[in-house]
Amino acid sequence: MVKKGAFGDSWYFNHILSGKPLVFAEEPAGYVPGTVYDDGKIYGGYYTKDQIREMIAYAAERQIEIIPEIEIPGHNMALLHVHPEFFCTGEHKVNNVICPGQEEVFPFFEKVLKEVMDLFPTPYMHIGGDEAEKSNWAVCPLCQKRIADEQLKDVYELQSYCIRRVEKMVNACGKKLIGWDEILEGGLSDNATVMSWQGTEGGVEAIRMNHDVIMSPSTFYYLDFGQDAPYKEPIAFNAYLPLEVVYSYEPEEDIIAACGKDYDPSIMKHLQGLQGNLWTECIIRSDHFEYMLYPRSFAIAENAWSPKGSKNYPVFREKALAFIKRIQEEGYHTFDLASEVGHRPEADVPIPNLALGAKTTWRKGDKVETADMLVDGYLGDWTIRRDPKWKEFNGKEITLDIDLGECKDLHYIGVEYVDFRIRRFRLPDDAQFLVSEDGVNFVPVYTPKLRLSDDRSHYCILTFGGTVNVRARYVRLQFNKGPKKLRGYLSEVIIN
Ligand SMILES: [Zn+2]
């Protein structure tokens, strides 16, 4: 398996998230296990079992337990490359999810899991369970037969069926199952431990259902996100998760708040701990890995070890600065906390805007809502997703209408976008500004022309605007109806 599935076209890994398919490669001659191979054409690598045993022993001497994860049923692109017979029958829209309608899949995973569980002494086995895109299952005759035979309701219960069968294999070896919070979909046995990554709600719900939980929310603990102003940081999977935000997470508060007056302190025993995740889609060098890890991993450790309500960020920051200095002397590459830029300065001060507080109407197809953050007089911070200062646009035929309340003389119209191509953002080539006096008859006044290279990848905030000389009450921003679906975020429409 490793000889065929552990190596691929180097370009793919060095041009992160390019959207092009991975081309696998055979193990190159002369490859030394335990090293990263990159000759400019082929990239990859793997560990031997002896090297893994050595790693487990090294960690154990430092009171660290390593828990392995074998992904089931999704994230299996390498497995399906080597065993294409595990694809769903017929057309498969996704290329990394195995077919749970095939009986042969289960003895295969049983063998793999047993081999892995024999290797790692930990009482846990992590089986993944996350991001299994289910559109194959909905059209695969074998999956549909399994759903009928097992009297399952839908593809979500098929996932649950799959996880329950895998859990039996894990338990039969005397181990406990851990899975990402999607294992809650379609029901779950009480003994499973849930690792909660999709925000904090899933984990809190699981604890309320008396499951053991490890909190690992992407909103606080995804260390693959950038940690400072994106213009000075290496490219990252999401823009901004600074040390202070990582440090601010209080898992117990979320649980207490979610329970409200029904809170029973005994459920807190199910909170097993915290975990930071450093996924490496954008990271192929160890110095980059260390940079993302330090000092944010110190904050996660301090959160896990500190009683609720005992934390103090300024004090922690001083300790982190001292500790960074110490590990840098030992040769580690860390983020330069002393030179941290912090929040986007332009987002902290109000900007002049004639549209301040105007009535907004955001239309996408038949859906109508307001978008008041676009006329609140503030630009957005580096954060994009889940930041209420930014408005996502995703789809086609989107318009924003701004009613200024009365006719005004307008001299400038502009809009601030964020572009982040590696996350598949697609900004409009020719969004158009139109104006109207009566709200019925609109005339185009300005069309910002975006001329963005398809090769762009890094995060970028762009303001497009221009002079107009017009009197109007209504301003419309219209995303034109091109063939491609648009995706991106806006922080402010600026009218002066
Ligand atoms: Zn199938």
Side-chain angles (χ1 to χ4, degrees), residues 86-89 98-102 136-137 140-144 158:
F86 293 157
F87 271 122
C88 277
T89 304
I98 56 98
C99 175
Q102 288 182 42
N136 289 356
W137 297 357
C140 167
L142 294 175
C143 285
Q144 289 303 311
L158 182 57

Side-chain angles (χ1 to χ4, degrees), residues 224-436:
D224 52 336
F225 296 3
Q227 56 197 317
D228 201 7
Y231 63 78
K232 62 178 271 288
E233 291 302 292
I235 202 161
F237 197 66
N238 267 325
Y240 191 50
L241 186 58
L243 181 66
E244 187 169 7
V245 173
V246 177
Y247 187 77
S248 71
Y249 180 47
E250 287 279 9
E252 290 157 301
E253 279 178 10
D254 282 346
I255 296 162
I256 294 167
C259 294
K261 60 179 172 36
D262 299 331
Y263 174 62
D264 167 4
S266 73
I267 63 166
M268 214 57 97
K269 67 176 184 286
H270 293 300
L271 178 59
Q272 291 288 301
L274 307 176
Q275 173 174 297
N277 291 330
L278 179 43
W279 308 111
T280 54
E281 280 100 334
C282 304
I283 300 167
I284 60 170
R285 294 187 327 271
S286 55
D287 57 344
H288 185 184
F289 189 86
E290 290 168 8
Y291 181 91
M292 303 304 274
L293 203 55
Y294 305 115
R296 291 184 294 184
S297 54
F298 305 158
I300 297 173
E302 181 120 332
N303 285 354
W305 292 331
S306 303
K308 188 170 89 67
S310 68
K311 296 189 298 178
N312 177 322
Y313 183 68
V315 171
F316 168 76
R317 192 172 187 276
E318 287 307 310
K319 288 192 287 183
L321 284 165
F323 207 64
I324 283 171
K325 210 160 160 253
R326 187 176 135 193
I327 67 169
Q328 278 178 344
E329 281 162 14
E330 289 175 26
Y332 286 91
H333 297 85
T334 76
F335 170 66
D336 181 9
L337 181 62
S339 307
E340 185 181 28
V341 170
H343 290 274
R344 185 182 176 207
E346 294 85 355
D348 281 344
V349 284
I351 53 160
N353 195 347
L354 270 185
L356 194 65
K359 183 169 178 276
T360 55
T361 309
W362 178 273
R363 285 193 185 81
K364 179 181 156 184
D366 296 337
K367 207 175 150 205
V368 180
E369 58 193 36
T370 58
D372 293 343
M373 76 288 272
L374 299 181
V375 291
D376 68 353
Y378 284 91
L379 301 175
D381 201 349
W382 310 123
T383 324
I384 318 170
R385 293 170 68 230
R386 293 171 188 263
D387 181 339
K389 290 276 181 210
W390 289 96
K391 172 74 183 167
E392 184 177 16
F393 59 94
N394 191 349
K396 295 186 201 173
E397 301 187 32
I398 298 166
T399 57
L400 168 70
D401 280 348
I402 297 170
D403 178 359
L404 301 172
E406 57 181 337
C407 274
K408 293 181 179 176
D409 290 324
L410 314 182
H411 304 290
Y412 172 90
I413 297 182
V415 57
E416 182 175 83
Y417 291 111
V418 64
D419 183 39
F420 203 26
R421 187 63 192 279
I422 62 159
R423 296 306 313 272
R424 313 262 195 277
F425 281 25
R426 183 172 289 284
L427 298 190
D429 289 332
D430 53 356
Q432 198 171 37
F433 278 108
L434 305 95
V435 297
S436 168

Side-chain angles (χ1 to χ4, degrees), residues 145-161:
K145 184 171 185 307
R146 176 80 77 193
I147 286 174
D149 290 350
E150 299 292 332
Q151 299 179 321
L152 307 172
K153 213 164 58 202
D154 52 24
V155 287
Y156 293 95
E157 286 201 355
L158 182 57
Q159 154 115 358
S160 169
Y161 165 84

